[in-house]
Amino acid sequence: YIATGDGGGVGDPFNYGQDLGNLNGKLLRIDVDGGFPYTIPPGNPFVGNPNALDEIWAYGVRNPWRGDMDDLTGDIWFGDVGQDTWEELDYLPAGVAGANFGWRVMEGFHCYNPSSGCNQAGLRLPIHEYQHVTGPQGYRCSITGGRVYRGRNMATMHGRFFFGDYCTGELWSTRTSGGTTVDFVDHTAEVESSMGTDAQVIGFGQDADGELYVCSKRDGSVHRIVPAGLRLLCPTLVSSSSASLEVRGGTPNAQVGVLYGLTGLGSTLFPAANVVLDLDQPRVAVLGRADGLGQAQFTASVPASAGGRTVWLQ
């Protein structure tokens, strides 16, 4: 999958974003293994259309700056940089082909060309937008798309797409439901404590374990995204051993818990702050809401018959 900008020029003067005979302003899909230099996957939506290029998977984007395909679902997320006023976050469910994201007809949820009364029929609108305005960290100007989290260290963050603003260094995450954002979280305060203000968020990365990193153009630094306020005193437990797990603070989802085991995860609610967890049956133990928890101590033990278990915090 390849994202292309509209080719430049204020307002896409040649309307490349809507021109199916041009590769600019598109999401493309090619098969690099089927032939030289590539072949066209048979499921591409415009194959056989004499007025469209076979490589096109979706169209109507301006400047898709960084995105991701969810490792679990195959859904596509990306940030599309706006022209003058609106930055947008776009989402395309796995397998949806031929979508028109609207540029240059639309900028975000708003008419661009024409400036009013534009025809929005059939367009796939963004799931989130924000305006070029001065916020607490400065003037917002350019979205930087990121990654969908599927790692181990922040279990309550699974399925969240992390993204930010280049000019202010603000960083957010969200999930989606029914094509709209849900559970939107502002992580800027945590980012500034590590990266400082005006971080110039230019991109995101992911390691082999699915953990996320954010890159700052301002000073060339790379920072790992970690749970806020959580401490794991013993990262792993093995058979016939025990350890104390300490939780301080909470997560953006207002829950704190211990997630253990590798397969067959279920969910069990423990009302008490101090519990003993038997790791023989892998499950998630949620131990109250973070806003009322403060600090708690847990003891986890592994019976000899259970074998090794990896233990980490939500």
Side-chain angles (χ1 to χ4, degrees):
Y1 289 80
I2 306 164
T4 65
D6 67 7
V10 175
D12 190 12
F14 300 107
N15 201 25
Y16 286 153
Q18 295 297 312
D19 182 1
L20 294 176
N22 189 285
L23 294 179
N24 285 4
K26 309 293 189 299
L27 295 183
L28 313 176
R29 189 175 78 143
I30 61 174
D31 178 359
V32 298
D33 296 318
F36 182 83
Y38 62 85
T39 59
I40 304 298
N44 278 16
F46 300 108
V47 172
N49 183 339
N51 299 314
L53 297 178
D54 293 345
E55 293 90 339
I56 297 173
W57 180 255
Y59 62 108
V61 296
R62 181 182 177 272
N63 181 14
W65 185 260
R66 304 295 189 259
D68 190 24
M69 179 179 286
D70 189 333
D71 292 339
L72 180 65
T73 66
D75 299 340
I76 295 173
W77 300 69
F78 62 94
D80 195 9
V81 179
Q83 180 66 63
D84 298 318
T85 309
W86 298 99
E87 302 297 300
E88 70 178 62
L89 176 60
D90 289 312
Y91 169 78
L92 190 64
V96 174
N100 181 359
F101 287 98
W103 176 253
R104 68 181 181 179
V105 179
M106 306 280 294
E107 183 187 22
F109 290 100
H110 310 270
C111 294
Y112 182 84
N113 187 354
S115 59
S116 63
C118 58
N119 182 8
Q120 302 180 29
L123 301 183
R124 185 168 189 91
L125 299 181
I127 61 171
H128 177 72
E129 69 171 10
Y130 67 89
Q131 195 171 6
H132 292 195
V133 295
T134 300
Q137 280 70 42
Y139 188 75
R140 298 168 179 165
C141 76
S142 182
I143 191 171
T144 298
R147 294 277 188 167
V148 178
Y149 182 75
R150 293 294 180 187
R152 289 184 175 180
N153 288 339
M154 303 186 295
T156 56
M157 296 293 183
H158 281 185
R160 304 190 71 86
F161 182 76
F162 283 78
F163 66 105
D165 185 79
Y166 169 76
C167 292
T168 64
E170 291 173 282
L171 192 146
W172 309 283
S173 73
T174 189
R175 293 184 175 94
T176 184
S177 176
T180 60
T181 53
V182 294
D183 195 18
F184 190 93
V185 176
D186 187 345
H187 301 280
T188 303
E190 299 117 84
V191 171
E192 289 194 343
S193 67
S194 172
M195 301 175 66
T197 59
D198 188 26
Q200 291 186 321
V201 174
I202 194 68
F204 292 77
Q206 176 179 301
D207 65 19
D209 293 324
E211 303 306 322
L212 299 187
Y213 299 78
V214 58
C215 308
S216 171
K217 184 173 179 291
R218 186 198 63 222
D219 59 4
S221 61
V222 178
H223 297 256
R224 186 178 181 181
I225 299 176
V226 299
L230 300 186
R231 300 291 183 266
L232 179 57
L233 302 185
C234 180
T236 60
L237 292 177
V238 297
S239 299
S240 302
S241 67
S242 63
S244 294
L245 311 178
E246 182 182 27
V247 177
R248 297 178 182 269
T251 69
N253 283 358
Q255 287 187 333
V256 175
V258 179
L259 176 67
Y260 56 90
L262 301 179
T263 60
L265 294 176
S267 181
T268 303
L269 177 64
F270 291 85
N274 297 288
V275 296
V276 177
L277 306 177
D278 181 355
L279 301 190
D280 192 25
Q281 296 297 322
R283 62 185 182 274
V284 180
V286 181
L287 297 108
R289 299 189 65 82
D291 51 11
L293 183 60
Q295 179 178 348
Q297 198 79 16
F298 316 102
T299 300
S301 61
V302 184
S305 61
R309 288 286 192 270
T310 300
V311 178
W312 63 95
L313 289 181
Q314 289 200 89

